[in-house]
Amino acid sequence: MDVATPTANCVSLVYELFLPVMKRHNQNTLNRLEVYTCVFIGSKRLFGDSKEQIEHFLALVFENYKSLDEKSPSGIMDIPTPDPRVAVPVLKEAVKLYELIHNISSLDSQNKLYNYFQVHLLSLT
């Protein structure tokens, strides 16, 4: 099974691939054939499943941000040795992807993001 590793390149690629999908979804710019296809193939379910998988991936990134390592094959260090002065490169890309699928100005989205980081902080104690 192929597993995405939480690196800046990986998150950037997910963003680039999902951006056109979100634009079309938000603009409701499906043509007649696409609407017909959506009804019979169930792409709304496919869209929801993709969004859910991205959410799960972002949770992994945000909840483990101090343990992320771009050089590790898994993307996560075995033993976290965080340098508090340096943010891992994946955080910028992860926040950008989070903003793509969430309205960051909404209180619910802000609380969800806060909770991701809170899970990480609670795991340290």
Side-chain angles (χ1 to χ4, degrees):
M1 176 179 179
D2 292 332
V3 178
T5 55
T7 63
N9 287 339
C10 177
V11 177
S12 179
L13 179 62
V14 171
Y15 177 86
E16 289 173 20
L17 294 172
F18 208 61
L19 180 62
V21 174
M22 285 301 294
K23 281 184 177 178
R24 297 288 303 268
H25 175 72
N26 291 339
Q27 294 171 349
N28 290 325
T29 57
L30 299 175
N31 64 37
R32 228 180 252 176
L33 178 60
E34 289 170 326
V35 170
Y36 178 80
T37 304
C38 286
V39 171
F40 289 100
I41 295 180
S43 70
K44 285 190 178 189
R45 177 171 163 76
L46 181 64
F47 172 77
D49 289 347
S50 299
K51 199 172 172 183
E52 187 177 307
Q53 290 298 318
I54 291 171
E55 277 292 336
H56 180 71
F57 180 66
L58 286 172
L60 175 72
V61 170
F62 292 133
E63 291 173 3
N64 295 289
Y65 75 98
K66 293 268 186 175
S67 303
L68 299 177
D69 182 10
E70 297 278 321
K71 296 174 186 135
S72 170
S74 70
I76 298 178
M77 292 182 231
D78 293 330
I79 302 169
T81 54
D83 182 355
R85 299 166 293 167
V86 179
V88 291
V90 70
L91 273 182
K92 179 182 175 187
E93 298 298 325
V95 169
K96 191 168 131 182
L97 180 58
Y98 186 84
E99 288 177 325
L100 178 65
I101 59 177
H102 293 283
N103 176 4
I104 198 68
S105 61
S106 93
L107 189 57
D108 286 341
S109 293
Q110 292 172 9
N111 284 336
K112 190 172 191 175
L113 187 58
Y114 172 79
N115 287 337
Y116 286 142
F117 289 109
Q118 195 68 19
V119 165
H120 175 71
L121 292 174
L122 290 173
S123 73
L124 297 176
T125 58

